[in-house]
Amino acid sequence: KAGVTQTPRYLIKTRGQQVTLSCSPISGHRSVSWYQQTPGQGLQFLFEYFSETQRNKGNFPGRFSGRQFSNSRSEMNVSTLELGDSALYLCASRQGLAGEHSYNEQFFGPGTRLTVL
Amino acid sequence: EDKVVQSPLSLVVHEGDTVTLNCSYEVTNFRSLLWYKQEKKAPTFLFMLTSSGIEKKSGRLSSILDKKELSSILNITATQTGDSAIYLCAANFGGTSYGKLTFGQGTILTVHP
């Protein structure tokens, strides 16, 4: 089975621009979560999508948004980029079935390294 | 606020040593605790623990959860240079979804030959 894939792998943008990142989960996984990783703050949860609905949201400004499509692929958008948005953006997928703990292991993609100049 | 704390923050050992990494959590409605290994790229899943006292093992790595102490340990025996990485602990707290993980700061493990 192919793992979680993310595109693009690297991105350089300037302040004020917007960016869209894409994540394809493991086949059969219905849940996609997004995380931001920085040296200062570590790994922080952004949001989770399950069956095309946002289920959870972390403490990030409204400039960070996302969506999920019917095939479980997800996109994350950051508008009006700031220097502090430079980070590794990771997505993770899980099967998301209720009642069986093993279905809730999260597997990460390789990440998108975003640099804001 | 839900919180996960790992210790030590960094550790330097020699090949063959055994290491123990610690993770504690402050919880509202704890569900599960996960361990990941991160080298240069994305975190790689190691274990998920939901029941207290049951050890999970994979090769030289093992982990156990203590719900009474709100903590978990990750043991690595006979360390190798390939074990050098950041080890991340994450907790899933209940209420709405399994999809949100709260991570600790990570333990940087360096194994010298």
Side-chain angles (χ1 to χ4, degrees), chain B residues 9-13 19 21 76 79-81 83-87 107-111:
Chain B
L9 293 183
S10 67
L11 195 50
V12 180
V13 300
V19 298
L21 310 183
I76 308 175
T79 52
Q80 302 171 355
T81 54
D83 295 327
S84 295
I86 300 172
Y87 289 85
T107 294
I108 303 171
L109 174 64
T110 304
V111 182

Side-chain angles (χ1 to χ4, degrees), chain A residues 9 31 33 35 37 43 45 48 55-58 88 90 94 99 101-102 104-111, chain B residues 1 31-32 34 36 38 40-45 48 50 56 88 92 96-104:
Chain A
R9 295 293 309 281
S31 164
S33 295
Y35 296 84
Q37 187 173 32
L43 260 159
F45 173 79
E48 184 210 5
R55 292 292 183 93
N56 279 287
K57 192 175 192 311
L88 180 66
L90 293 160
R94 64 184 179 94
H101 289 304
S102 63
N104 292 300
E105 297 160 349
Q106 287 195 29
F107 299 92
F108 282 85
Chain B
E1 186 182 322
R31 271 191 183 157
S32 57
L34 294 85
Y36 290 88
Q38 186 172 28
K40 290 184 180 175
K41 296 174 183 176
T44 304
F45 174 81
M48 186 173 89
T50 55
K56 290 219 173 174
L88 295 161
N92 175 246
T96 50
S97 170
Y98 288 97
K100 176 182 177 180
L101 295 178
T102 300
F103 280 86

Side-chain angles (χ1 to χ4, degrees), chain A residues 45-66:
Chain A
F45 173 79
L46 281 155
F47 30 64
E48 184 210 5
Y49 285 87
F50 183 90
S51 293
E52 301 178 66
T53 303
Q54 187 180 88
R55 292 292 183 93
N56 279 287
K57 192 175 192 311
N59 295 325
F60 280 83
R63 300 185 295 107
F64 291 82
S65 63

Side-chain angles (χ1 to χ4, degrees), chain A residues 23-98:
Chain A
C23 172
S24 292
I26 293 170
S27 177
H29 285 198
R30 294 162 62 191
S31 164
V32 173
S33 295
W34 287 90
Y35 296 84
Q36 181 196 65
Q37 187 173 32
T38 59
Q41 299 296 318
L43 260 159
Q44 292 187 290
F45 173 79
L46 281 155
F47 30 64
E48 184 210 5
Y49 285 87
F50 183 90
S51 293
E52 301 178 66
T53 303
Q54 187 180 88
R55 292 292 183 93
N56 279 287
K57 192 175 192 311
N59 295 325
F60 280 83
R63 300 185 295 107
F64 291 82
S65 63
R67 58 179 175 165
Q68 187 180 33
F69 302 95
S70 58
N71 61 358
S72 294
R73 190 177 71 84
S74 176
E75 286 183 347
M76 189 192 106
N77 185 273
V78 188
S79 62
T80 320
L81 284 166
E82 300 177 1
L83 295 178
D85 296 334
S86 294
L88 180 66
Y89 290 88
L90 293 160
C91 84
S93 78
R94 64 184 179 94
Q95 285 188 314
L97 297 175

